[in-house]
Amino acid sequence: MTEAQIPRPRPKRSAGRFPLPFATPVIPYSKQSLDADDRAAVAAVLEGDWLTQGPAVSDFEEAVAARCGVPHAVAFSSGTAALHAAAFAAGVGPGDEIVTSAITFAASANCGAYLGARPLFADIEAGTWNVSAATLEAAMTPKVKAVIPVHFAGLPAPIEPIRELVGPDVAIVEDAAHALGGHSGEGEVGSCAHADMAIFSLHPTKAITSAEGGVVTTRDPELAERLAVFRHHGMVRDPERFVHPEGAGDEGPWYHEQQHLGFNYRLSDVHAALGHSQLGKLDAHVAARNAIAARYHEGLAGIDGLDLPPRAGEGSLHAHHLFVVHLREGTARRLALYRRLLENEIRTQVHYIPVYRHPYYRSAFGYGPGLCPEAERYYSGCLSLPCYPDLTPAEQDRVIEVVREAMSDG
Ligand SMILES: *Cc1c(COP(=O)(O)O)cnc(C)c1O
């Protein structure tokens, strides 16, 4: 469960019968921004004939593909499902290895484990908190079938040097869950200029939401086909792709083939309508997030012991899914700040515990703390402050004030 989904505490009760008129409102670390258009788009689907994957999904996929400047976008029920499908489409299987960032949501690595592959972890760069060709190189082995760089917090990571490193035969799947709406010298995030596929999440904390949902973009029609088939049980209905092409003639027009193991990872039309409506607000959401980040950079400048996050270079746009500050003195100081903010009804989060530290990764793959030194150093002091389009300047001032006070208390 994310902070955004944790129910708000009830208003504090006075000694008398009635709750206090207004407790200090809770500021979550993130939440969705929905408006009347979004609700109307969902209601319109509910008036129609299709609920599950139908015309609204196709329309949404076309819109995402157009936005990213690719011929294909395939929608999924979540970003996690999108990652699973992308790793499958890339040919990842038992005995293979995949490499992703040590600092990411576990789903970036889990997609390899789902397919029987071993996830490996690359360290982050101190200056960007992203993986780079250099950190990936240190983790590469001949068994690596796919690398999954993450545009952490929304800062686009250069992919071209990674393509130069891995060559044409290792798949690159960008985990762009944080970075929809961002761009760099390589183009729009999701344009797959140097990657085989890019995945997005449409979770409520992300730049736009469909409640739950995900999308994979690609320039490759074969990959798009594999993604779509994986989403629907591995079932193929196109006679040109049948393993037994005589089937349709011999048996009847209902003939279809399950050619491999797949899943039900479909997005519904209800969710797609919401995602499509939200896509129209993507630029506004990213601009609002950047305005908040700029205000934090100003309001939190010059605090002793507090480092502010890396900024996008000239010609790049940071999508600012997160605004992460880093406390140089590490865990004890970070815990004190976290608590002080919480006492003031300000929810923060830690993104992320290095994935290899989780008990599953220790027991299943033999990992443990200390694997990636820069990731460890980052993790010891990182804290994600509230950052979402509807955060008001007054609320943001409250956050800045509490951080300033807490940091000056020594
Ligand atoms: C959110 C997220 C995902 C998973 O997306 P869901 O839609 O929640 O399944 C994957 N990778 C990263 C980096 C994420 O932040």
Side-chain angles (χ1 to χ4, degrees), residues 114-151:
Y114 296 152
L115 293 160
R118 179 182 172 82
L120 309 176
F121 296 97
D123 208 347
I124 56 171
E125 292 283 356
T128 62
W129 300 340
N130 275 329
V131 295
S132 66
T135 68
L136 284 165
E137 186 171 18
M140 288 299 286
T141 75
K143 289 187 184 170
V144 171
K145 193 87 180 215
V147 296
I148 307 179
V150 181
H151 302 294

Side-chain angles (χ1 to χ4, degrees), residues 78-81 83 104-105 107-108 150 175 177-178 199 201-203 206 212-213 321 352:
S78 70
T80 301
L83 276 163
T104 184
F105 186 56
S108 316
V150 181
D175 183 338
H178 295 185
I199 78 95
S201 163
L202 304 170
H203 181 273
K206 306 288 162 68
E212 292 282 1
H321 165 57
Y352 295 95

